[in-house]
Amino acid sequence: MNEKKLLVLDTSYSLEDIYKQGILKSVTCRDIDGYFAHVWTVHPFATLVTTKEWALTYGSPVYHKIDPAHSFIEGKIGKYKWLKFLPPVNFILSQIQLIFQLRRLIKKEGISIIRSGDILYMGLLGWVLSRICNIPYVVRVGGNHDKVFETIGKPIQKRLFKTRKIEKKVERFVLSRADLVVGANQDNLDFALENGARKEYSSIFRYGNLLHEGHFVDPGLREEGESLLKKLEVQPNKFLLYIGRLEKVKHPDHVLHVLSDLRNEDYNVKAVFVGRGTMLEELQLLAEKMQLTDDVVFAGNQNQDWISRVIPLAVVVLSPHTGRALSEAALGMVPVVAYDIDWQKEIIENEITGLIVKYPDLNKFSLAVKRILDEPSFARGLAHNLRNRALNMLLPKKLNEHEILQYEKLFQRHGH
């Protein structure tokens, strides 16, 4: 039987950021415990986000060998340095070169399947390569673009697609032609089904096998995190925790409003933000305006070991709108307050595994956080139930078995 090999198109992180944040597992898990003999992960324009110390901005794609079963290919935002005054042309040339190189790689290595990590640019690129090379194509849907657009009011990938109307056409084109569409959760899959995906060729691949192993360790057995908090001048069980991108779609500003309400009623807590994004300066100014500067810590991006050690020490995790971070919090056995959007209501069952509030009722969000602080015994029960549900929902072994089954069905349909 021929070895199965996978090519993944994904722009979530550059390899530089993957190493910095300690999230290599999110890449190496893609071989599904050896089901795929080798996996090539491709970031088509990685130098848009990498530092100059890591890689030259322009030129040819760079190949990195991670381990015997994994390689990482980083494309460039432009082919020629001398053409940097014409970014669109330079970008197109670099992508054309990448397509030809990936075509040769697919043919040479006998890659059996292509998977893209989004349904817009990556979706089109994956579809083109799959048709050129005549191999199956899988697209993973990691967000509900319609709901994101309602929040931010602009296209998801504005640099590449000028209007949401164009994006909608691209989404329907890609989703209706993919050989398998997988949602990160039921909400994301429902969005895909409403926009052209075929129900009989769809499934859910949850976050579990992407998570760092430290999150599955019993919180009571994890390495201590007090020393990490001490550097932030924060005390255990005296802080609200937010983990995620500092972007409008994630509503990190709601955490500041909650903290303001708590401080006005003399609750002695701080708020710790883990993550970075375009709202950082806005959030800092808002904290200053609310006279919360001394009670807010912007910790920036932290690696997964740090996060797994700090989560269990939070008095409550606030999840206005988070994805993988909510999985990490759930496994950390900490009480969670969340809005009823995206996949959050799939894991947070009100008053059983957490407190869930109708989006975007900020007043009730604050009241729910106060209840957690006022009823510690009740909060501990929620946290215990939440970890049990997360273990049942996100156990890597079970998720791997499900993914393999879906791939086997796909290969059977295509005569592999």
Side-chain angles (χ1 to χ4, degrees):
M1 184 177 178
N2 292 333
E3 288 185 324
K4 297 178 176 65
K5 299 177 181 179
L6 173 68
L7 181 78
V8 178
L9 303 170
D10 186 61
T11 59
S12 300
Y13 299 96
S14 68
L15 187 57
E16 180 183 29
D17 276 340
I18 286 168
Y19 281 132
K20 284 181 178 178
Q21 297 185 38
I23 52 174
L24 191 60
K25 177 72 187 311
S26 67
V27 174
T28 57
C29 72
R30 289 171 177 159
D31 69 354
I32 321 180
D33 288 338
Y35 176 75
F36 289 109
H38 201 97
V39 179
W40 288 262
T41 296
V42 184
H43 190 314
F45 41 87
T47 54
L48 180 66
V49 293
T50 54
T51 64
K52 292 181 180 179
E53 291 75 23
W54 176 264
L56 296 173
T57 305
Y58 303 99
S60 298
V62 176
Y63 290 65
H64 301 269
K65 188 70 173 288
I66 295 175
D67 61 37
H70 295 272
S71 300
F72 202 104
I73 303 171
E74 294 195 304
K76 309 284 187 174
I77 60 170
K79 172 63 178 161
Y80 303 107
K81 185 176 181 180
W82 60 266
L83 200 57
K84 63 182 181 181
F85 68 96
L86 281 177
V89 174
N90 210 9
F91 176 76
I92 290 170
L93 290 175
S94 73
Q95 296 303 289
I96 290 173
Q97 180 191 25
L98 179 66
I99 288 172
F100 278 104
Q101 288 197 10
L102 293 180
R103 178 182 178 274
R104 286 196 296 270
L105 178 70
I106 291 167
K107 296 293 186 182
K108 177 185 175 183
E109 297 290 345
I111 292 173
S112 14
I113 193 166
I114 295 172
R115 191 175 97 190
S116 68
D118 87 63
I119 54 178
L120 290 168
Y121 182 70
M122 294 301 98
L124 287 175
L125 183 57
W127 179 80
V128 168
L129 284 168
S130 72
R131 293 304 172 258
I132 290 174
C133 301
N134 193 31
I135 58 176
Y137 172 50
V138 177
V139 61
R140 183 177 185 276
V141 184
N144 186 321
H145 289 180
D146 289 338
K147 290 181 180 176
V148 171
F149 179 68
E150 286 178 15
T151 301
I152 66 176
K154 59 184 180 180
I156 313 301
Q157 295 180 4
K158 190 176 181 180
R159 285 188 176 186
L160 297 170
F161 306 97
K162 299 301 182 183
T163 68
R164 181 66 187 137
K165 186 176 181 180
I166 295 174
E167 286 186 337
K168 290 291 290 182
K169 290 181 179 179
V170 172
E171 289 168 358
R172 185 163 290 276
F173 178 90
V174 169
L175 290 169
S176 64
R177 287 164 175 78
D179 298 299
L180 175 65
V181 174
V182 295
N185 50 67
Q186 188 63 54
D187 179 85
N188 294 169
L189 182 59
D190 288 343
F191 158 77
L193 293 171
E194 291 167 4
N195 286 274
R198 294 168 289 178
K199 188 173 183 178
E200 64 271 26
Y201 301 140
S202 65
S203 187
I204 296 175
F205 288 2
R206 294 194 182 275
Y207 296 107
N209 48 10
L210 279 72
L211 302 180
H212 187 273
E213 296 91 337
H215 294 295
F216 289 94
V217 175
D218 186 297
L221 301 177
R222 297 181 190 181
E223 187 177 347
E224 62 82 24
E226 286 86 348
S227 59
L228 303 177
L229 291 178
K230 190 174 182 180
K231 294 177 181 178
L232 302 178
E233 298 183 356
V234 175
Q235 296 178 9
N237 300 310
K238 293 289 186 180
F239 67 99
L240 320 176
L241 180 61
Y242 168 89
I243 307 171
R245 290 181 288 121
L246 306 182
E247 301 291 346
K248 184 178 180 182
V249 68
K250 298 296 186 180
H251 308 295
D253 53 312
H254 288 208
V255 178
L256 290 180
H257 287 287
V258 169
L259 180 62
S260 179
D261 288 346
L262 293 174
R263 296 302 283 174
N264 288 339
E265 296 188 27
D266 295 325
Y267 285 89
N268 182 26
V269 291
K270 292 187 176 183
V272 175
F273 290 79
V274 179
R276 64 186 183 191
T278 59
M279 282 188 72
L280 176 58
E281 186 175 348
E282 179 183 339
L283 292 169
Q284 290 171 330
L285 291 172
L286 182 59
E288 184 178 348
K289 181 180 178 181
M290 292 179 165
Q291 298 183 327
L292 295 172
T293 303
D294 294 337
D295 300 318
V296 176
V297 177
F298 294 101
N301 280 344
Q302 298 291 339
N303 64 42
Q304 289 299 299
D305 175 68
W306 190 100
I307 293 172
S308 69
R309 292 162 59 188
V310 165
I311 285 174
L313 302 178
V315 67
V316 59
V317 167
L318 273 61
S319 181
H321 181 190
T322 49
R324 187 167 65 186
L326 179 54
S327 301
E328 296 164 359
L331 291 166
M333 206 155 70
V334 62
V336 173
V337 176
Y339 281 131
D340 63 344
I341 53 175
D342 206 285
W343 82 293
Q344 303 198 138
K345 54 193 174 185
E346 294 174 37
I347 191 169
I348 304 295
E349 185 176 355
N350 196 44
E351 298 196 355
I352 296 176
T353 61
L355 294 180
I356 195 152
V357 177
K358 190 167 182 60
Y359 171 81
D361 193 326
L362 188 49
N363 181 54
K364 288 186 178 178
F365 201 67
S366 287
L367 290 174
V369 174
K370 291 174 187 175
R371 185 178 178 191
I372 294 293
L373 301 181
D374 291 340
E375 302 179 36
S377 178
F378 171 67
R380 284 193 297 271
L382 297 179
H384 178 79
N385 293 343
L386 180 57
R387 177 170 166 84
N388 286 340
R389 178 164 296 185
L391 286 171
N392 182 60
M393 181 183 286
L394 303 171
L395 198 64
K397 185 177 184 296
K398 185 165 68 172
L399 296 180
N400 285 345
E401 290 172 353
H402 173 72
E403 286 194 26
I404 289 171
L405 177 62
Q406 297 305 312
Y407 282 125
E408 284 295 310
K409 289 180 180 178
L410 178 58
F411 286 132
Q412 287 172 14
R413 293 203 306 268
H414 286 261
H416 288 263

